[in-house]
């Protein structure tokens, strides 16, 4: 039994009274009903109905999530795992119930393998520190790919500096696909870990992660997947993937900011030292020696983001109510339609044309800076992102400093894609 399961069983039962405005599993994909669940979408921006196409940066939150946060703060708020009083028992139960939802969402074997963290960024830093300290020495190698987000580059560079290890980087081709033969060639007896993105935030490429994991495991190398973009678009089954670590951020999964999930195989987490020291991660402390708590608490020092976990639990309920497969199919249709339509805009080049793509469309326009594209679209109420998307090495490969990026969510419509394409026509006119 994990530390948190023990605490929950000794304490209050999970509160069944949390608001449940999530749709029923299996309900038909009703885009208008979904849109009504997101209050923020019902507004005008710069005199136009808001068209929110910046979902890779962060998603909007359904009312179910906002209600769960309100319910928690107006009824249950207390510190967890500590108090004997009613509110603390309720808050603990709500937090651990959210952990069980997270476990089920990624299909981990046990809640002991599911850590709450702040974000994908924190999850990767945790592994770089903790796994890095236990398993990486001078001369060892960490294998990444060229399409990584800075969050999956910088922590490894910092680790390499600390330990005297080296980064290896697997290349991508001109479509933005990982070159598997090169990846395989770079797996060496010195490789201690492979860390790669499941779904690229800058290109939309979906990596063949199962194949990659099996290549790495044949050489005894564990694999961390950065699932920041995949979590809301691809069903995750960590047991089927057999990945060793999986990181995701709640705010990209229709949940709150400041909360994320790190899955890790218990046999690895058990052998890794804690990341942060403090309250809740110990079983006993003397000035001579500290004994650490069981998993997952060993990796959750201090008061966690209880409300964030509760909100993320509500987001998971909501997303599962709609169905990840249904969301993926809807976003595929939006992406297909958008790809065809923008291809007719003169002077527009799509960056990232992988055969396996999801949810994200990056592009540049001849002679127009992506920031200007973003600004002119904003004047029409259309929110996209322009920049390097924290993937500067990838931008360098494509010979651009930045791209414009439209990224889809479950509530976007084909009409919104058409509004984007019309908007790009106006961008062209302004710069004609
Ligand atoms: N990408 C975007 O593309 P945090 O900030 O920790 O929640 O997520 C970091 C992160 C890690 N990996 C990938 C693949 C990501 O896309 C992101 C965040 C955002 O707009 C912000 S740069």
């Amino acid at each position: 039994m994990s530390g948190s399961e023990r605490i929950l069983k000794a304490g209050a039962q999970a509160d069944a009274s949390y608001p449940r405005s999530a749709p029923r599993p299996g309900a038909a994909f009703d885009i208008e009903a979904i849109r009504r669940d997101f209050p923020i979408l019902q507004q005008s921006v710069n005199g136009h109905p808001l068209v929110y196409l910046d979902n890779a940066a962060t998603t909007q939150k359904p009312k179910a999530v906002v209600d769960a946060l309100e319910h928690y703060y107006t009824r249950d708020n207390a510190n967890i795992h500590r108090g004997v009083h009613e509110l603390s028992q309720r808050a603990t139960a709500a937090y651990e119930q959210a952990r069980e939802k997270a476990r089920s969402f990624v299909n981990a074997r046990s809640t002991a393998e599911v850590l709450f963290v702040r974000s994908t960024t924190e999850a990767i830093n945790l592994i770089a520190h903790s796994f890095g300290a236990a398993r990486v020495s001078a001369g060892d190698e960490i294998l990444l790919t060229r399409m990584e987000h800075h969050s999956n580059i910088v922590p490894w560079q910092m680790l390499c500096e600390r330990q005297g290890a080296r980064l290896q980087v697997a290349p991508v081709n001109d479509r933005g696909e990982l070159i598997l033969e090169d990846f395989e060639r770079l797996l060496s007896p010195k490789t201690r870990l492979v860390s790669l993105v499941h779904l690229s935030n800058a290109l939309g490429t979906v990596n063949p992660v199962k194949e990659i994991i099996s290549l790495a495991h044949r050489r005894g190398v564990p694999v961390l997947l950065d699932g920041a973009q995949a979590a809301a678009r691809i069903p995750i089954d960590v047991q089927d993937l057999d990945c060793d670590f999986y990181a995701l951020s709640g705010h990209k999964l229709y949940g709150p900011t400041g909360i994320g999930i790190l899955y890790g195989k218990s046999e690895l987490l058990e052998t890794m030292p804690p990341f942060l020291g403090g309250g809740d991660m110990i079983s006993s402390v003397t000035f001579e020696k500290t004994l650490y708590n069981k998993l997952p608490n060993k990796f959750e020092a201090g008061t966690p983001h209880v409300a964030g976990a509760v909100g993320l639990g509500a987001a998971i309920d909501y997303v599962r109510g709609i169905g990840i497969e249904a969301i993926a199919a809807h976003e595929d249709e939006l992406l297909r339609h958008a790809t065809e339509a923008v291809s007719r805009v003169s002077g527009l080049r799509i960056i990232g044309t992988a055969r396996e793509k999801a949810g994200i469309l990056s592009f540049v326009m001849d002679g127009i800076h992506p920031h200007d594209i973003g600004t002119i679209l904003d004047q029409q109420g259309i929110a996209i992102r322009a920049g390097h998307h924290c993937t500067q090495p990838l931008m360098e490969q494509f010979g651009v400093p930045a791209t414009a990026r439209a990224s889809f969510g479950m509530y976007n419509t084909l009409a919104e894609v058409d509004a984007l394409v019309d908007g790009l026509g106006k961008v062209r006119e302004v710069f004609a």
Side-chain angles (χ1 to χ4, degrees), residues 56-57 119-122 149 151 197 199 201 226 228-229 249 251-252 385 389-390 405:
S119 58
T120 305
T121 302
E122 186 175 84
H149 187 277
S151 298
V197 71
L199 195 176
N201 66 316
D226 168 354
Q229 299 297 340
S249 295
H251 70 98
K252 297 189 199 284
R385 182 165 174 195
H389 316 297
C390 300
R405 183 189 70 184

Side-chain angles (χ1 to χ4, degrees), residues 117-127 149 151-152 155 197 224-229 231 246-252 258-262:
V117 289
R118 269 196 303 150
S119 58
T120 305
T121 302
E122 186 175 84
I124 297 172
N125 275 275
L126 186 158
I127 300 299
H149 187 277
S151 298
N152 199 24
V197 71
L224 185 163
L225 293 181
D226 168 354
Q229 299 297 340
Y246 198 101
L248 66 93
S249 295
H251 70 98
K252 297 189 199 284
I259 188 78
I261 298 169
L262 172 59

Side-chain angles (χ1 to χ4, degrees), residues 30 43 62 73 77 93 99 119 176 189 203 214 241 261 268 273 279 290-291 305 311 314 346 360 369:
D30 178 348
Q43 65 177 297
Y73 276 128
N77 177 52
R99 195 192 305 279
S119 58
L203 304 172
S214 124
L241 288 171
I261 298 169
L268 286 170
T290 291
L291 296 176
H305 187 7
S346 74
I360 289 169
H369 194 281

